[in-house]
Amino acid sequence: MLDYVRNIPTKLYFGKNQISHLNGSLEQFGKNVLLTYGGGSIKRIGLYDKIMSILHEGGFNVIELSGIEPNPKVESVEEGVKLCKENNIDVILAVGGGSTIDCSKAIAVGAFYDGDMWEMIVNQKGLAKKALPLVTILTLSATGSEYDGGGVISNLKTNEKIGRSFTYPSVSICDPTYTFSVNAYHTAAGSIDIMSHIFEEYFSRTTDCDLSDGICETILSSVIKNCPIAIKDPTNYSARANLMTNSSIACSGIPSYGMEYSGWPCHAMEHQLSAYYDITHGVGLAILTPKWMRYILKKDVSVASRIAKFARNVFSLDDEDEVSLANKGIDELEKFIKSIGIPTTLKEVGINEDKFFIMAKNASKGGRMLNSYVPLDVDDIVNIFKDCL
Ligand code: NZQ
Ligand code: ZN
């Protein structure tokens, strides 16, 4: 087990009606609020009206930034920063999924930066030195952005999607009932994202962290159990609540206490797919993950025991031969992904070979994939993309 330091400064209110803490959560920072949200789901579920009535009753001055898109774009960050500066904003209230929260994190930092936003993100200029306080209300279980400091911003002009450490939310309100309206597609994609955050930590060269391994395996089992329930019965509170808790913990760093960093290879590859084709993050991961597992197993058989452990402890499979058990585990994962109805090939999401090389080159920028769990060079990544066709 390696040494570790972790400090999660976010206060998390979990459960029904936790929105009762909204007023107090904002008030400590001031009265001028930038309310950020996406394409309108919060209006359709009545959450917008509820929030507005709390804000008006509390005497807050509210400025709105709406229309934050999935895979949030740098233009929304620029717009939000302008609004913060013009309106002397004290606190940002982000209501939505990972895209709205990520964008709001970048705005929170950008509000104290005077230069170009994309330069700030690319060159990490001024990042994390100072940020506006951020309060979030989560409406989709997936990224864990409600309980981590990261954010991922896209620039469609340059085909770049860049993840950075921006700032942690001060408070996150996580009420599973707000996710009752999430459709089957985004429930499934979000669930795969949660699972992927675990895979990216679990598939590490450190193999003696009992607590981390147990948390990882429990989260995987819980998602596999609850995602199909939530798809079939969208208002099943227990299923939605388990997915939401899993979302917050999976990307918080808690499941990798003491573990060597894996390089997050599937995320590095997926961010290229969404940078070039603007696809749903969890869908890209669903396509890549089993193929990546199969590829690394062939390239470096020493990973068989770890994949076999996953097969044994998550899917209750067994086999005397570890490679064969590992393959059975990957088969089972593929079956699960198919069963929740999301695409499993690049063709299905309209991606062909055209950009494989440039995406592979970008994914391995700075040699980071050469330091991943099983080192991957540009040719390896192209091969994995090909396996996904
Ligand atoms: O825009 P609206 O109208 O709100 O609709 C959204 C959007 O279309 C909809 N939705 C959200 N809550 C809903 C709802 N629909 C009905 N009812 C509700 N309660 O769902 C769609 C997807 O939303 P989005 O926020 O894009 O999804 P997600 O939470 O998966 O976020 C994806 C983004 O987060 C990044 C991804 O790369 C991607 O850009 N990630 C952020 C991470 C982080 N901060 O730590 C880590 C992740 O690995 C990931 O990279
Ligand atoms: Zn992710």
Side-chain angles (χ1 to χ4, degrees):
M1 187 185 290
L2 308 181
D3 298 347
Y4 62 83
V5 177
R6 184 143 289 268
N7 173 23
I8 303 175
T10 304
K11 183 169 192 173
L12 209 145
Y13 290 106
F14 179 89
K16 289 176 190 164
N17 299 319
Q18 295 295 334
I19 201 165
S20 60
H21 297 284
L22 181 60
N23 193 330
S25 300
L26 294 170
E27 193 137 59
Q28 57 180 322
F29 302 116
K31 286 289 181 192
N32 296 338
V33 178
L34 177 71
L35 170 65
T36 59
Y37 54 98
S41 70
I42 69 160
K43 290 194 171 165
R44 287 191 291 280
I45 64 175
L47 183 55
Y48 174 86
D49 287 344
K50 199 184 279 179
I51 290 167
M52 284 316 247
S53 95
I54 292 171
L55 295 180
H56 285 143
E57 235 169 72
F60 291 97
N61 310 310
V62 186
I63 301 292
E64 293 186 35
L65 172 68
S66 62
I68 296 172
E69 294 173 298
N71 300 325
K73 317 296 181 277
V74 65
E75 287 79 7
S76 291
V77 179
E78 289 165 355
E79 217 182 316
V81 166
K82 195 163 167 267
L83 290 173
C84 287
K85 288 180 176 170
E86 283 172 0
N87 297 284
N88 203 15
I89 292 297
D90 298 312
V91 53
I92 301 175
L93 172 58
V95 187
S99 295
T100 293
I101 299 176
D102 282 8
C103 182
S104 305
K105 288 176 177 173
I107 295 169
V109 173
F112 292 99
Y113 183 72
D114 281 330
D116 178 75
M117 278 304 114
W118 191 242
E119 259 176 37
M120 175 191 86
I121 292 165
V122 173
N123 303 325
Q124 309 201 52
K125 278 189 189 159
L127 277 188
K129 283 195 186 132
K130 209 174 171 195
L132 280 172
L134 171 67
V135 172
T136 83
I137 301 179
L138 183 66
T139 67
L140 199 161
S141 305
T143 64
S145 190
E146 68 278 12
Y147 204 47
D148 72 22
V152 191
I153 306 298
S154 293
N155 185 335
L156 291 184
K157 288 187 199 120
T158 59
N159 290 122
E160 285 172 288
K161 180 171 180 179
I162 296 184
R164 290 284 180 252
S165 241
F166 288 112
T167 182
Y168 278 82
S170 303
V171 175
S172 282
I173 294 173
C174 299
D175 182 336
T177 64
Y178 299 154
T179 65
F180 284 174
S181 53
V182 178
N183 63 22
Y185 179 82
H186 284 296
T187 301
S191 295
I192 296 296
D193 193 22
I194 297 170
M195 291 176 75
S196 176
H197 298 156
I198 294 297
F199 290 137
E200 303 280 37
E201 316 245 275
Y202 186 79
F203 292 116
S204 157
R205 292 292 172 181
T206 314
T207 55
D208 68 338
C209 296
D210 297 345
L211 177 67
S212 298
D213 281 3
I215 292 172
C216 287
E217 288 159 4
T218 300
I219 289 181
L220 291 173
S221 303
S222 171
V223 174
I224 289 165
K225 175 180 151 195
N226 289 293
C227 170
I229 299 174
I231 287 174
K232 222 172 145 188
D233 178 12
T235 60
N236 184 307
Y237 182 80
S238 176
R240 293 293 192 184
N242 276 290
L243 290 177
M244 197 172 248
T245 304
N246 290 331
S247 158
S248 303
I249 301 300
C251 208
S252 67
I254 292 171
S256 61
Y257 278 171
M259 316 257 286
E260 188 181 296
Y261 182 61
S262 73
W264 282 55
C266 288
H267 274 67
M269 291 186 282
E270 195 297 310
H271 284 166
Q272 291 306 314
L273 298 180
S274 29
Y276 278 85
Y277 297 94
D278 209 11
I279 63 167
T280 302
H281 176 60
V283 170
L285 293 168
I287 296 167
L288 284 163
T289 304
K291 303 292 189 242
W292 166 77
M293 281 187 187
R294 204 82 79 183
Y295 191 88
I296 59 165
L297 181 59
K298 269 199 208 128
K299 190 171 183 204
D300 178 357
V301 78
S302 75
V303 303
S305 59
R306 197 80 184 141
I307 305 181
K309 184 176 181 193
F310 152 71
R312 197 177 292 115
N313 293 348
V314 174
F315 287 121
S316 308
L317 299 168
D318 215 352
D319 196 299
E320 274 171 22
D321 178 58
E322 296 236 295
V323 174
S324 151
L325 181 53
N327 272 308
K328 279 186 187 170
I330 303 170
D331 292 343
E332 213 52 37
L333 177 65
E334 278 177 335
K335 261 193 242 163
F336 170 72
I337 293 171
K338 276 212 174 91
S339 75
I340 55 171
I342 38 176
T344 53
T345 63
L346 289 178
K347 274 199 190 103
E348 285 170 80
V349 293
I351 299 179
N352 59 25
E353 290 196 44
D354 288 359
K355 304 271 191 310
F356 281 0
F357 183 69
I358 180 79
M359 291 194 298
K361 249 181 96 182
N362 291 343
S364 49
K365 236 181 210 164
R368 64 184 176 150
M369 296 289 267
L370 292 172
N371 297 319
S372 69
Y373 179 52
V374 170
L376 300 173
D377 61 21
V378 172
D379 290 340
D380 290 318
I381 301 168
V382 168
N383 288 336
I384 293 171
F385 285 147
K386 281 185 181 162
D387 290 345
C388 292
L389 274 170

